[in-house]
Amino acid sequence: MLIRRVLAPRIDFGALRRELELPDRFPPAAQREAEAAAAAPPRPAVDRTDVPFVTVDPATSRDLDQAMHLARRPGGGFRVRYAIADVAAHVRPGGALEEETWRRGQTVYLPDGNVPLHPETLSEGAASLLPDQDRAAVLWTIDLDPDGGTVAVALERALVRSRAKLDYVGVQAAADAGRLPEPIALLPELGALLTARGLRRGAVNLPLPEQDVESDGDGWRLVLRGPVPMEEHNAQISLLTGMAAADIMLAGGVGLLRTMPPPRPEAVARLRTAAAPLGVRWPDGVGVGELLAGLDAAEPRAAAFVDQAAELMRGAAYTAFDGALPEQPAHGGVAAAYAHVTAPLRRLADRYATEVCLALHADRPVPDWARAALPRLPQVMAATDRTAGAATRGAVELAEAVLLAHRVGESFDAAVLDVDEPRPGRQPGGTVALDAPPVRARCTGVLPLGERVRVRLVTADPATRKVLFALT
């Protein structure tokens, strides 16, 4: 659901690219390898092109990692077929392209163009699950019982063909009209079922709207949007697959998990203390995830509570193991063991974790090139996560500063999302979210958490990407 959008003038993101030292091209040897792989694409022996897969992604995406087909099982339950782009079949171990993907780590998204993990000839071409094209994929087939519990998992390399490239907004409109295409007609039912299972086991999802910067003719749009329900349902299929992958690797004693400690009891206690002043009713016996799922983050007090809940989601990491299992293998947000395997076009770690799963499932040795990569991946992924996060934040901060540069001195209505902890010598302040334009920024003053206030714009500097308000 789109919440708000405001047009901003021309913006140059070049300085941000230079600051983050983002590459602007692939080395010639890596580019040649990608073009050779695209010219002679792999054709797996197993043919599943009879299955009518579809992809569901943002409308402008062309790096399509996942294709889906959902069906009911005879006798009850569901069969999930999830085809993931087989990137390892296109990238030669030890080659120039593999080396360059290790340098990049993941695709970095910026409003004026992506910095892809793989050359576009692969990421948006021969390896992408584009419609009406035969593609090499790693196919997960996951059978579920009527309650959404996993009863069987199969994994194979296969040739697949997507029938349609669908987008979230269109899919949501089709769902609202009761006209979803057959391959994903069960997605609302199954997504809701998997979400409910997650909440019962203690999963936590923060329903925060996202800020994006989108092109709009000669200018840019600063957009604040919340996910549509079908986007959340789609994410549940990815989570289901990631949990299946984690179980395979834990059973085999080797792999790469996405981990996060469970919410600390003292953090939960602080959050519970913040609930009543913000008008959030927290009944006994209701878990954090269940409570958050029922809140409307567009309402200022609820948004402030959700912002406070972000404190629970700390310490996410990649954890490699080979032999001894990790002491803490679970992901606190998922409330289960979980691995990244569903976005190999965009994320380096997924390629290697997938290869481990394929080997373990087939009861054969994990390839040396994949096994040797595991202990190196956590550090590389942590570094590239920081770069990707800095790019996203920097782009939004720049758009906010440009949008507001000519309005210094004006006053705005805002909601207080966060308040700094008092410290000696520290000026009081916190974070506010403007009603319009959709800006979220620092504000000085004694701020009432979760309340609506009037603030004055003190600074809006595109050169430093700094925006600062003061309580009026």
Side-chain angles (χ1 to χ4, degrees), residues 27-43 89-92 96-97 119-122 126-127:
Q31 186 68 44
R32 286 195 298 271
E33 282 190 20
E35 290 170 0
R43 290 190 67 85
H90 294 81
V91 179
R92 176 172 61 84
L97 178 55
E120 290 182 1
T121 188
L122 291 180

Side-chain angles (χ1 to χ4, degrees), residues 21-385:
E21 299 181 344
L22 299 176
D24 58 0
R25 62 178 61 85
F26 282 83
Q31 186 68 44
R32 286 195 298 271
E33 282 190 20
E35 290 170 0
R43 290 190 67 85
V46 176
D47 190 326
R48 303 295 184 202
T49 55
D50 60 315
V51 180
F53 290 101
V54 297
T55 61
V56 185
D57 292 274
T60 58
S61 296
R62 286 187 56 82
D63 51 348
L64 310 182
D65 288 287
Q66 311 126 7
M68 183 190 317
H69 181 271
L70 308 176
R72 294 198 188 277
R73 294 173 61 214
F78 306 86
R79 170 159 288 181
V80 175
R81 292 187 178 97
Y82 208 36
I84 308 300
D86 190 355
V87 177
H90 294 81
V91 179
R92 176 172 61 84
L97 178 55
E98 184 189 43
E99 180 181 354
E100 179 63 13
T101 60
W102 275 82
R103 185 166 78 92
R104 296 179 178 231
Q106 62 185 283
T107 297
V108 176
Y109 293 92
L110 284 168
D112 61 346
N114 303 334
V115 182
L117 176 60
H118 303 90
E120 290 182 1
T121 188
L122 291 180
S123 62
E124 298 187 5
S128 178
L129 303 183
L130 297 166
D132 302 318
Q133 304 291 325
D134 289 353
R135 291 289 189 258
V138 175
L139 178 56
W140 293 81
T141 301
I142 305 175
D143 286 344
L144 307 176
D145 63 25
D147 294 325
T150 299
V151 296
V153 176
L155 185 57
E156 62 186 356
R157 282 194 151 98
L159 194 69
V160 303
R161 183 187 300 135
S162 170
R163 301 302 197 269
K165 178 184 181 297
L166 308 179
D167 66 85
Y168 293 125
V169 174
V171 165
Q172 185 62 54
D176 293 342
R179 294 196 299 268
L180 280 172
E182 181 271 332
I184 56 169
L186 295 175
L187 187 54
E189 177 184 352
L190 182 54
L193 186 64
L194 294 174
T195 296
R197 285 183 66 89
L199 293 177
R200 287 197 298 271
R201 67 175 182 264
V204 177
N205 179 45
L206 298 179
L208 284 170
E210 290 186 0
Q211 277 182 296
D212 287 320
V213 182
E214 301 175 345
S215 63
D216 188 355
D218 291 335
W220 299 89
R221 290 189 299 259
L222 181 62
V223 179
L224 185 68
R225 72 171 89 246
V228 298
M230 289 299 289
E231 189 172 353
E232 295 292 331
H233 297 328
N234 189 57
Q236 288 298 321
I237 305 301
S238 183
L239 286 172
L240 173 72
T241 307
M243 289 188 288
D247 289 345
I248 289 173
M249 289 188 282
L250 288 169
V254 58
L256 182 72
L257 304 177
R258 185 64 166 160
T259 57
M260 188 177 76
R264 300 187 310 278
E266 59 270 26
V268 176
R270 284 197 299 270
L271 184 64
R272 187 176 285 276
T273 300
L278 290 172
V280 175
R281 183 173 173 271
W282 193 336
D284 291 339
V286 174
V288 176
E290 294 175 280
L291 181 68
L292 291 170
L295 296 181
D296 178 7
E299 195 278 318
R301 289 189 160 208
F305 183 80
V306 172
D307 195 83
Q308 301 302 298
E311 175 65 23
L312 306 179
M313 313 293 280
R314 303 293 187 201
Y318 288 87
T319 301
F321 62 99
D322 195 343
L325 301 184
E327 290 184 13
Q328 201 294 102
H331 188 290
V334 181
Y338 169 67
H340 277 166
V341 293
T342 62
L345 285 172
R346 294 169 278 170
R347 204 166 45 208
L348 179 68
D350 298 44
R351 185 196 316 164
Y352 298 90
T354 295
E355 205 64 33
V356 172
C357 290
L358 281 162
L360 294 175
H361 181 74
D363 197 24
R364 57 177 173 78
V366 175
D368 290 341
W369 61 266
R371 195 165 208 144
L374 298 179
R376 300 164 50 209
L377 281 165
Q379 183 176 356
V380 170
M381 295 308 299
T384 58
D385 278 348

Side-chain angles (χ1 to χ4, degrees), residues 363-429:
D363 197 24
R364 57 177 173 78
V366 175
D368 290 341
W369 61 266
R371 195 165 208 144
L374 298 179
R376 300 164 50 209
L377 281 165
Q379 183 176 356
V380 170
M381 295 308 299
T384 58
D385 278 348
R386 288 192 293 271
T387 298
T392 299
R393 290 192 304 274
V396 170
E397 289 167 355
L398 177 57
E400 290 176 335
V402 170
L403 181 68
L404 293 171
H406 65 291
R407 304 184 68 178
V408 172
E410 292 186 29
S411 294
F412 302 82
D413 291 320
V416 180
L417 293 183
D418 191 27
V419 175
D420 297 338
E421 290 288 332
R423 292 180 186 172
R426 181 180 184 178
Q427 185 179 19

